[in-house]
Amino acid sequence: MSRLPPIKVTVYPYECDAYGHLNEAAYLTLFERARWEALAQGPGADIFVRHKVWPAVRKATIEFLVPAFPGDVLSVDLRLEKLGRTSVELRQSAKRVADGVLLAEAHLVFVMVDGKGSPVAIPEEVAAVFGGRVSTLPGEMVRYDVGQVTLAADVRGDGPALLLVHGFPLDRSLWAHQVATLAGWRRIAPDLRGLGATVAPDDDYSIAAYADDLIGLLDRLRVSRAVVAGLSMGGYVAFELVRRYRDRVAGLILCDTRADADGPESRASRDTLIAVAKEQGAGVVAERLLPRVLGRTTQLTQPHLVEQVREMMTRAPVAGVVGALRAMKERPDSTPLLPSIGVPTLVVVGQEDEMTPPALAKAMTNAIPSAAMTVIHGAGHLSPLEAPTAVSRVLAEFLEHVRDSVG
Ligand code: MLT
């Protein structure tokens, strides 16, 4: 499935032939316009320039089904037909918005070329945008013994290290798009103890223990410094890494998270959720959390994603869920730490995040010297999953900016 949004285009009179309808040349232009618009709204129209490649058209055919006239508004969809090493086949269809009638379809074959016109391998990010190779394949997970526990992790790519820490009660698949696309970085996405495919001890859960496990993992991978991205509970772990392992943190990406500790009300609701998890299981915890973690746009427009998150939360081991709730309940206040953060920091927040809303993210950004903040439109608390291309894009820009300081 393509990750590019459908695009609405209006048919203008000057695009139509003497009989008043869109002819083949005009359709080629219209389909091309829709592709660039979709890229601009998704990963950025500069995606090819960024990777120093260009998609050269090898074949383009248009099938006319029903005429289109000036003033018609068309919805143009793009889907991947075939992904080769250097070539990609796409199909675009144009439907009339007024009645949903399919008007025309284009079948296009592109070959990726370099500056001299020679075919080159399609970069990972480009393949992911068209719908290829997005998910992390199970075979790519590796287990690392880091002392007390064995952590499951996806480790991909070469370059400076980027450690991606998931939230509660989630797993490393939260970062699947970023692991697939942030080329030029060594992406390390572990499952925290008790969650995902990492073992779930009965006890010994704390934010400090999560941080120690991650340092063990970096040691195993011989990584001395990493940019640390943490979502929500992953952000609490990122703060702990700054507090106790400052030299290992080369930059921070604080995603949908907060610095303060739990107040009395939050602590009480942690206790309630612990009881629910123990008595009724992770599935019931998932049902309670789902309406709050996903933004309203996602809940309305991405039913498959709602299912994906429900499944992810439901498969979390109860011991890991209870352990994480206790760890979060006991976590220290990281607000005093904020003015001392000296590394480049990016704060990312979903516009519809109700758990850690943009106003809270703004206050956190203001307290960290030279931090910047980006709001992700149409996303809630799980922005890397809800708006993967937008988040990967802002992360890619930030990472490019800090690359030299990571060393
Ligand atoms: C998370 O997404 O990790 C949780 O919402 C964090 C929390 O409950 O404090």
Side-chain angles (χ1 to χ4, degrees), residues 31 90 189 221 252 257 280 329 346 352 384:
F31 278 123
L90 303 174
L221 295 169
L252 273 179
T257 192
Q280 302 176 66
K329 181 182 161 191
L346 176 69
E352 299 171 10

Side-chain angles (χ1 to χ4, degrees), residues 95-284:
K95 285 186 182 158
R96 194 162 48 209
V97 168
D99 52 11
V101 169
L102 180 63
L103 304 184
E105 277 204 313
H107 177 233
L108 305 144
V109 181
F110 293 91
V111 63
M112 210 55 72
V113 296
D114 62 15
K116 294 189 185 121
S118 308
V120 287
I122 299 175
E124 262 180 55
E125 186 193 2
V126 176
V129 160
F130 289 124
R133 301 182 210 141
V134 174
S135 61
T136 40
L137 304 171
E140 288 164 334
M141 186 194 81
V142 188
R143 289 183 188 278
Y144 296 90
D145 197 342
V146 297
Q148 277 193 324
V149 289
T150 302
L151 291 191
D154 289 318
V155 180
R156 283 179 69 178
D158 291 315
L162 170 67
L163 178 65
L164 297 148
V165 190
H166 63 76
F168 166 83
L170 308 170
D171 60 42
R172 68 189 194 286
S173 66
L174 172 82
W175 300 107
H177 192 272
Q178 291 69 41
V179 167
T181 59
L182 291 172
W185 287 78
R186 190 173 187 201
R187 289 93 73 194
I188 306 167
D191 284 334
L192 293 174
R193 64 164 69 194
L195 294 165
T198 291
V199 286
D202 287 338
D203 41 35
D204 271 346
Y205 291 90
S206 64
I207 298 297
Y210 292 137
D212 289 341
D213 291 345
L214 296 183
I215 290 298
L217 178 63
L218 294 184
D219 288 345
R220 283 292 315 269
L221 295 169
R222 297 179 196 286
V223 170
S224 55
R225 297 180 86 220
V227 173
V228 180
L231 179 129
S232 199
M233 183 175 82
Y236 311 158
V237 179
F239 287 132
E240 185 69 13
L241 289 170
V242 175
R243 195 162 20 247
R244 293 197 297 121
Y245 300 99
R246 196 173 277 264
D247 292 352
R248 310 292 294 266
V249 180
L252 273 179
I253 298 168
L254 300 168
C255 229
D256 301 292
T257 192
R258 63 195 309 149
D260 53 348
D262 275 4
E265 216 176 292
S266 306
R267 289 168 66 87
S269 53
R270 301 278 189 212
D271 288 336
T272 309
L273 215 48
I274 288 172
V276 169
K278 282 182 174 170
E279 285 155 26
Q280 302 176 66
V284 180

Side-chain angles (χ1 to χ4, degrees), residues 14-38:
Y14 67 83
E15 291 175 307
C16 296
D17 63 17
Y19 298 97
H21 67 264
L22 272 186
N23 64 19
E24 71 271 29
Y27 252 126
L28 282 175
T29 310
L30 181 140
F31 278 123
E32 185 183 14
R33 180 150 56 99
R35 288 197 301 278
W36 284 113
E37 183 59 34

Side-chain angles (χ1 to χ4, degrees), residues 202-392:
D202 287 338
D203 41 35
D204 271 346
Y205 291 90
S206 64
I207 298 297
Y210 292 137
D212 289 341
D213 291 345
L214 296 183
I215 290 298
L217 178 63
L218 294 184
D219 288 345
R220 283 292 315 269
L221 295 169
R222 297 179 196 286
V223 170
S224 55
R225 297 180 86 220
V227 173
V228 180
L231 179 129
S232 199
M233 183 175 82
Y236 311 158
V237 179
F239 287 132
E240 185 69 13
L241 289 170
V242 175
R243 195 162 20 247
R244 293 197 297 121
Y245 300 99
R246 196 173 277 264
D247 292 352
R248 310 292 294 266
V249 180
L252 273 179
I253 298 168
L254 300 168
C255 229
D256 301 292
T257 192
R258 63 195 309 149
D260 53 348
D262 275 4
E265 216 176 292
S266 306
R267 289 168 66 87
S269 53
R270 301 278 189 212
D271 288 336
T272 309
L273 215 48
I274 288 172
V276 169
K278 282 182 174 170
E279 285 155 26
Q280 302 176 66
V284 180
V285 173
E287 293 313 322
R288 294 215 175 180
L289 294 175
L290 266 175
R292 295 192 64 215
V293 293
L294 294 170
R296 60 182 182 282
T297 303
T298 300
Q299 300 198 36
L300 285 173
T301 61
Q302 301 196 75
H304 62 286
L305 191 60
V306 178
E307 256 334 284
Q308 185 186 332
V309 176
R310 174 179 281 120
E311 274 174 31
M312 200 193 310
M313 290 180 165
T314 302
R315 66 176 178 250
V318 169
V321 171
V322 170
L325 285 165
R326 287 200 181 120
M328 290 192 287
K329 181 182 161 191
E330 300 305 333
R331 76 182 188 278
D333 181 9
S334 295
T335 316
L337 188 72
L338 302 182
S340 75
I341 294 178
V343 290
T345 300
L346 176 69
V347 175
V348 177
V349 63
Q351 181 194 24
E352 299 171 10
D353 184 344
E354 288 179 10
M355 301 187 74
T356 49
L360 198 114
K362 184 81 192 127
M364 188 169 71
T365 309
N366 290 344
I368 303 173
S370 71
M373 171 170 142
T374 300
V375 177
I376 305 294
H377 294 276
H381 189 57
L382 305 187
S383 55
L385 261 189
E386 295 178 58
T389 39
V391 169
S392 294

